[in-house]
Amino acid sequence: MQKKKKTILVSGGSGFIGSNLCRKLLLDQNNNVICIDNNSTGSLTNLEGIIEKPNFKFIEHDIVEPLEIEDKIDEIYNLACPASPSAYQGKNAIHTTKTCIYGAVNMLELAKKNNAKILQSSTSEVYGNPLEHPQNEKYFGNVNPCGKRACYDEGKRCAESLFFDYNRIYRVKIKVVRIFNTYGPYMDINDGRVVSNFICQALKGEDITIYGNGSQTRSFCYIDDLIEGLIRVMDTVDDFIGPINLGNPHEYSIISFANIIKNKINNKINISYKPLPNDDPIKRKPDVSLARKVLHWEAEVSLQEGLDKTIKYFSNIL
Ligand code: UDP
């Protein structure tokens, strides 16, 4: 069935997840899309093929500041925030917290004014270094509020709290999604994440850098699966507000992931070991039973297939 054409605002629309989402909402579903980004970690090059379309509008704006939009908005996806540890920590840490919190308030106010549905991109980081495995939405998490990751983890936790309060107090139609590690085309080549680092190191014939001994685990979801999940969450009935996990439950140790990349790209390269960053979670794997039940969704793209597409993307831009 053809969906009704909507006007959809995507904050963080020129980032990795945002640009993939804008592409889908615009090209496959023929909506009007308003993309908001300050291009701190996103980039206009991620918007190739859509930026020139008549039903696409790009507004350069930092969501830490309030925003007036003339168009009547039906839906908002709040994705704006640096998401890679190297981008959100250090000198950017305070701005990261502001982006999470002031950004949430500004986007929620926009949703309230427009009577729009709003989806918050929360994160598996709200579970911190989890003491329960896999992580279910009912788990409250184990976050160090004083650590280097806290600007992001606690920022995202506070943003969730703001979303639920806007729903309780003002009846704003919210959806809170906890996104687990995701990879694919339009990831920032320099953002220091494990997938982009390992692929680019292997393509350049450099050592693969493992932090710690590589026994820590992550579960990697291909971007197309995530985008499908996000849109399905947005389309749920108003009573469904989350939180809901989206991710791929196949878990890999970082060392086994390094070997998969070596086997795919270049078996001759070496692995070198570097110190494990503070508070780096030891295990991470989503419990996706709620997504299966409510959305009839689960990740379908295998790691092999997703990596092939991602390697092709990075080979073209290196
Ligand atoms: N990691 C690594 N080598 C790298 C980049 C990351 O061993 O070059 C590790 C990192 O310490 C973490 C995991 O890979 O345990 C995932 O890191 P990423 O930054 O991709 O995401 P996170 O899940 O930590 O936010």
Side-chain angles (χ1 to χ4, degrees):
M1 199 176 62
Q2 187 76 30
K3 282 189 180 177
K4 192 173 150 272
K5 188 176 186 135
K6 292 176 280 199
T7 298
I8 304 178
L9 184 144
V10 180
S11 79
S14 69
F16 162 47
I17 296 176
S19 60
N20 279 283
L21 178 65
C22 286
R23 200 163 269 112
K24 176 91 178 178
L25 294 172
L26 189 87
L27 300 182
D28 292 3
Q29 301 193 338
N30 196 30
N31 294 295
N32 299 316
V33 175
I34 303 171
C35 167
I36 311 285
D37 210 300
N38 66 352
N39 287 333
S40 67
T41 56
S43 153
L44 292 186
T45 55
N46 289 346
L47 301 174
E48 58 174 351
I50 51 175
I51 195 155
E52 65 283 357
K53 300 279 180 204
N55 48 343
F56 184 82
K57 195 189 279 183
F58 175 78
I59 301 174
E60 187 168 338
H61 180 83
D62 186 336
I63 61 159
V64 163
E65 305 299 334
L67 177 66
E68 298 279 338
I69 299 275
E70 284 170 13
D71 312 64
K72 168 82 181 72
I73 299 160
D74 300 302
E75 294 177 353
I76 300 174
Y77 289 83
N78 185 34
L79 305 180
C81 191
S84 117
S86 66
Y88 68 64
Q89 297 176 2
K91 65 177 177 21
N92 299 328
I94 294 167
H95 199 80
T96 299
T97 308
K98 286 184 183 170
T99 305
C100 292
I101 296 171
Y102 299 166
V105 171
N106 289 330
M107 291 300 110
L108 282 160
E109 285 293 330
L110 205 57
K112 186 170 151 232
K113 199 169 141 196
N114 281 271
N115 193 24
K117 282 198 263 187
I118 179 165
L119 181 148
Q120 165 67 354
S121 65
S122 191
T123 165
S124 54
E125 287 284 325
V126 300
Y127 301 121
N129 191 6
L131 304 177
E132 278 184 20
H133 195 71
Q135 292 80 54
N136 179 279
E137 291 85 352
K138 292 195 175 73
Y139 177 50
F140 291 162
N142 176 39
V143 173
N144 169 8
C146 312
K148 283 187 182 167
R149 291 177 96 99
C151 56
Y152 185 73
D153 299 9
E154 298 289 16
K156 288 284 188 177
R157 286 168 68 93
C158 184
E160 285 200 11
S161 135
L162 283 162
F163 269 72
F164 286 103
D165 281 332
Y166 266 76
N167 175 261
R168 277 187 286 259
I169 298 168
Y170 301 119
R171 308 307 307 160
V172 172
K173 290 174 242 158
I174 64 156
K175 316 276 177 195
V176 173
V177 181
R178 294 180 178 155
I179 300 174
F180 283 65
N181 294 65
T182 303
Y183 70 99
Y186 302 105
M187 280 185 101
D188 180 359
I189 199 163
N190 294 315
D191 79 355
R193 309 197 85 172
V194 70
V195 176
S196 47
N197 270 11
F198 285 8
I199 293 177
C200 294
Q201 287 162 344
L203 287 171
K204 290 191 269 183
E206 296 171 355
D207 286 6
I208 284 188
T209 54
I210 289 188
Y211 303 159
N213 62 13
S215 62
Q216 72 271 35
T217 70
R218 293 293 186 273
S219 311
F220 301 104
C221 184
Y222 187 63
I223 184 69
D224 290 359
D225 281 330
L226 178 79
I227 298 298
E228 177 63 30
L230 289 175
I231 292 172
R232 286 198 200 184
V233 175
M234 187 61 107
D235 287 346
T236 51
V237 291
D238 289 349
D239 285 353
F240 183 78
I241 59 177
I244 182 166
N245 290 338
L246 288 183
N248 188 322
H250 286 266
E251 186 183 9
Y252 297 86
S253 67
I254 295 302
I255 181 101
S256 65
F257 184 65
N259 284 316
I260 292 171
I261 298 289
K262 272 182 69 169
N263 287 336
K264 274 199 170 290
I265 303 177
N266 182 352
N267 237 321
K268 296 201 185 73
I269 51 172
N270 296 314
I271 290 180
S272 64
Y273 290 86
K274 300 207 164 172
L276 188 69
N278 282 347
D279 295 325
D280 197 278
I282 292 166
K283 284 177 161 196
R284 191 183 286 152
K285 166 183 158 122
D287 176 342
V288 289
S289 22
L290 185 63
R292 278 199 198 100
K293 189 171 139 210
V294 176
L295 312 175
H296 310 290
W297 173 93
E298 63 189 316
E300 286 174 358
V301 180
S302 69
L303 187 66
Q304 296 296 335
E305 186 190 343
L307 282 178
D308 287 342
K309 292 181 174 165
T310 311
I311 291 167
K312 196 169 158 209
Y313 169 78
F314 282 119
S315 324
N316 283 336
I317 61 165
L318 259 185

